[in-house]
Amino acid sequence: MYTSPSGGTLGKATAVMKALSFYLSDHPVIVSFRWSHALWGSTWSFLFYSIALYFLVSIFLHLILALLLRRGQRVPLGPLPALHSLSMSVISATIFAGLLLSAAAEIRETRWLWRPSKTPLEWLLCFPLGTRPSGRVFFWSYLFYLSRYVHMLRTVSVVLRRRKLVFFQLFYHAISTLMSFLWLEFSQSFQVLAILFTTLAFFVIYGSRFWTAIAARGACLQLVLNCQIVLLGCNLVCHIGVLLLHFFTGGCNGIGAWVLNSVLNGAILMLFLNFYMGVDLGRRRKPNKNVGDSDCECGDNKIARSCSVFGAGKEADSNKLKSC
């Protein structure tokens, strides 16, 4: 039987999509996943010891470099920062795709249990009371939690390459890891949308950092700031939605952990706004300064210290302002 080229291409594309759907949402390991303290990194002691070790290693590296190297001297890392950015971008894209397919499958399979007026958005924001941390969605939530430890490695890169240790970066990574652990431990509502928003933002941010690293250009701080602002704005709107659904639909699962999550998110928001206003103030003080195509230069030393959190790519020339 004759098969047209377009039909064969369509058939191959359909087969690839089915294979991806199977391996990202219907694989037995994913479907049968259950969160328990037998899993790697799933205990409270592991969480707190890991965060404490992260703080100690970061501070130790900063101090030992200050003693052994002269001021301004940096440790060359070669392609390692670019490889880290690439790996984080790929991991984020994989978690985003897997969670999106898994959430769609969970909604399709459990919708018949919902009340007639319930919508998929309500389920994404508010898990029913008694929800257990098992199944597709929580498998990807667990992988997202593990990826937070890979994300921490960026602090080591910043300390070695930039000789900067920023409180906001330490606080952000530690709190983000704690929050992702709480999502699993207490089957917290809203985690699906939070992970989708975060992984999408990380895919863009780390993809941009990888590109600027291999293209030998300064990283665009404005892109990173815009992604962070959109991410924080989406989280804020979703938190309001969870609160309304909790009081008007009979309750959301893991609301106690959600309250702590909201407080921690509020602290991150305040720190980020302080950072953002510092960057904006630095730019207003130097309105005529040519910052180049990347628009990623920082005005004074204080802002440069903060910008080291988001930076990537080659260092600026010594006669120019420090690139973020």
Side-chain angles (χ1 to χ4, degrees), residues 18-35:
K18 287 183 178 179
L20 286 176
S21 178
F22 172 77
Y23 285 108
L24 292 176
S25 65
D26 294 326
H27 194 279
V29 174
I30 298 175
V31 175
S32 62
F33 174 81
R34 294 184 183 278
W35 168 258

Side-chain angles (χ1 to χ4, degrees), residues 126-302:
C126 180
F127 286 158
L129 294 175
T131 298
R132 297 181 178 276
S134 61
R136 300 179 178 92
V137 167
F138 290 96
F139 171 83
W140 291 108
S141 182
Y142 175 59
L143 288 191
F144 178 78
Y145 163 66
L146 295 181
S147 73
R148 304 307 303 173
Y149 294 103
V150 182
H151 198 184
M152 287 180 177
L153 295 177
R154 176 158 175 80
T155 303
V156 178
S157 172
V158 170
V159 171
L160 293 175
R161 293 168 59 219
R162 313 248 178 209
R163 299 288 303 278
K164 303 293 181 184
L165 184 61
V166 185
F167 170 75
F168 172 70
Q169 187 177 36
L170 291 174
F171 182 83
Y172 175 76
H173 289 324
I175 293 304
S176 298
T177 306
L178 173 60
M179 289 192 300
S180 58
F181 180 88
L182 294 176
W183 293 346
L184 288 160
E185 187 70 10
F186 297 101
S187 304
Q188 184 187 312
S189 298
F190 163 63
Q191 63 177 283
V192 176
L193 289 179
I195 295 173
L196 288 175
F197 292 149
T198 304
T199 50
L200 181 59
F202 282 175
F203 169 72
V204 174
I205 291 172
Y206 280 98
S208 172
R209 284 173 175 161
F210 172 71
W211 171 250
T212 54
I214 63 174
R217 293 178 54 191
C220 184
L221 176 63
Q222 193 60 46
L223 173 64
V224 177
L225 290 177
N226 290 339
C227 288
Q228 294 282 358
I229 290 171
V230 171
L231 177 60
L232 291 171
C234 291
N235 283 340
L236 179 61
V237 172
C238 290
H239 274 288
I240 296 173
V242 172
L243 185 64
L244 294 175
L245 289 172
H246 178 71
F247 286 108
F248 292 104
T249 62
C252 299
N253 200 68
I255 197 64
W258 173 85
V259 172
L260 177 59
N261 193 345
S262 300
V263 173
L264 297 176
N265 268 325
I268 291 176
L269 177 61
M270 295 303 296
L271 285 172
F272 178 77
L273 289 177
N274 179 61
F275 164 78
Y276 182 80
M277 288 187 293
V279 172
D280 185 65
L281 180 61
R283 287 176 176 171
R284 290 177 184 274
R285 286 176 177 173
K286 296 181 180 293
N288 297 322
K289 184 68 178 177
N290 182 15
V291 296
D293 294 334
S294 65
D295 191 28
C296 295
E297 309 278 6
C298 295
D300 53 31
N301 291 334
K302 178 181 178 182

Side-chain angles (χ1 to χ4, degrees), residues 83-93 147 150-151 202 206:
L83 291 176
H84 178 259
S85 296
L86 177 62
S87 64
M88 282 301 304
S89 184
V90 172
I91 290 171
S92 298
S147 73
V150 182
H151 198 184
F202 282 175
Y206 280 98

